[in-house]
Amino acid sequence: MKLVRYGRIGKEKPGLIDEFGKLRDLSAHVSDFSGANLSDKVLRKLAKIDPETLPVVRGNPRFGVPVAKVGKFIGVGLNYADHAKEAGLPIPSEPIIFMKAITCLSGPDDPIMLPKGSKKTDWEVELGVVIGARARNVSEEDAEKYVAGYCVVNDVSEREFQLENGGTWDKGKGCDTFGPVGPWLVTRDEVWDLDKLDLYLEVNDKRMQTGCTETMIFKVPQLVAYISRFMTLEPGDIIATGTPPGVGLARKRFLKKGDFVRLGIAGLGEQQQDVIGYQEF
């Protein structure tokens, strides 16, 4: 299934995309896609519903983050061999993990806002993993059982804040709008080969990133098992699993007001974002 949350910010409703690409309303069957509603039991129940019986949503509503009430947004750094090479850094012996503030989460087509004083805002297309069941010290062999599904993530990063201002990476990773997720959550039963997913990202219609999950250093089961050693993963937590080569840091080219970003992953959908200047809310 392709599960979505659609509508105005803070007023999103649950829905699904049918085989013909139509958006259908699921609010009569599930309150939202958060917590216990991401369990295998609930997802199996939803999968039994004939999409033809669900109301079609008219127009082109905004899509929000396909998961509600995200508790943790976890990033993985330098997880593609070709990206580590372009950065001139050694292959990590263990996964590099960091946290992105949940306040950075935004819909897949919401604008990216340059932070106040930003000079080096960058892009990173990534495979997102959505946890569906509590995971604590799980094995690699069992890890995928704890996954509800997969999605596209743009791990937007301000490199000066992240790398040049001292301290941890978090400062450059959690700015408002730095976590576009979606357009939908594809349940794990529909993603057959996690090691063969093509990723891409364009800025102003120029290809910047082209990659494949086959060059990931640590695969999804390894990451879920590893992270669950250090923190309990709860349903609705999102893991961004790293990015392929072609980031702005390597190109010495960063986002500016007026840029247009498009990115996607085969089978998981596409995002697009306008880049805007800093705005007070």
Side-chain angles (χ1 to χ4, degrees):
M1 293 180 292
K2 294 177 179 176
L3 304 177
V4 302
R5 297 175 65 248
Y6 67 94
R8 292 181 293 118
I9 296 174
K11 302 291 183 180
E12 293 92 345
K13 290 184 174 182
L16 66 77
I17 305 297
D18 69 17
E19 62 178 320
F20 304 106
K22 293 181 180 179
L23 170 60
R24 294 182 178 269
D25 181 28
L26 265 176
S27 58
H29 299 272
V30 64
S31 59
D32 210 342
F33 295 128
S34 61
N37 287 337
L38 294 170
S39 69
D40 283 352
K41 180 180 179 180
V42 173
L43 296 181
R44 282 195 296 266
K45 180 180 177 181
L46 295 178
K48 292 178 181 179
I49 299 171
D50 180 358
E52 292 290 330
T53 65
L54 300 172
V56 174
V57 179
R58 304 298 178 184
N60 295 292
R62 166 190 172 272
F63 281 0
V65 178
V67 181
K69 299 179 182 178
V70 175
K72 292 189 289 296
F73 193 6
I74 304 160
V76 180
L78 294 175
N79 195 34
Y80 281 69
D82 37 8
H83 175 49
K85 182 178 178 180
E86 77 169 352
L89 296 169
I91 301 295
S93 59
E94 293 191 27
I96 298 170
I97 59 175
F98 59 88
M99 306 299 289
K100 288 178 72 78
I102 58 172
T103 49
C104 82
L105 287 162
S106 58
D109 299 337
D110 292 344
I112 294 171
M113 180 180 68
L114 299 174
K116 189 174 184 179
S118 171
K119 298 177 182 177
K120 297 181 179 180
T121 294
D122 203 348
W123 56 82
E124 295 186 50
V125 58
E126 306 201 4
L127 170 66
V129 178
V130 177
I131 300 300
R134 175 176 284 186
R136 180 172 179 264
N137 284 315
V138 303
S139 67
E140 289 183 24
E141 292 74 21
D142 291 336
E144 288 189 65
K145 298 177 183 177
Y146 295 85
V147 174
Y150 304 96
C151 57
V152 182
V153 173
N154 189 355
D155 176 20
V156 186
S157 309
E158 214 297 344
R159 302 303 190 184
E160 183 178 359
F161 298 175
Q162 176 191 356
L163 301 172
E164 301 175 31
N165 289 0
T168 64
W169 285 10
D170 303 52
K171 289 185 292 187
K173 294 287 189 174
C175 304
D176 291 347
T177 75
F178 272 25
V181 177
W184 37 70
L185 165 66
V186 180
T187 51
R188 74 170 189 269
D189 59 300
E190 294 196 7
V191 182
W192 297 105
D193 193 344
L194 285 173
D195 296 335
K196 297 291 183 181
L197 299 179
D198 293 324
L199 307 88
Y200 62 91
L201 184 144
E202 301 171 350
V203 179
N204 301 333
D205 298 321
K206 179 180 178 181
R207 181 63 64 94
M208 296 296 182
Q209 290 186 274
T210 302
C212 182
T213 52
E214 66 183 353
T215 68
M216 287 175 68
I217 300 163
F218 304 103
K219 308 299 185 181
V220 169
Q222 291 174 282
L223 292 174
V224 173
Y226 182 84
I227 294 169
S228 77
R229 287 172 50 194
F230 303 101
M231 63 190 80
T232 300
L233 296 171
E234 298 283 1
D237 288 351
I238 299 173
I239 303 170
T241 59
T243 198
V247 298
L249 182 64
R251 295 177 176 274
K252 309 301 181 188
R253 194 277 196 220
F254 299 102
L255 294 173
K256 60 184 184 299
K257 182 180 177 180
D259 282 343
F260 176 72
V261 181
R262 180 184 291 112
L263 61 146
I265 302 177
L268 301 184
E270 184 177 86
Q271 303 180 356
Q272 54 186 30
Q273 296 115 20
D274 292 312
V275 180
I276 63 174
Y278 177 75
Q279 300 178 17
E280 298 281 359
F281 293 105

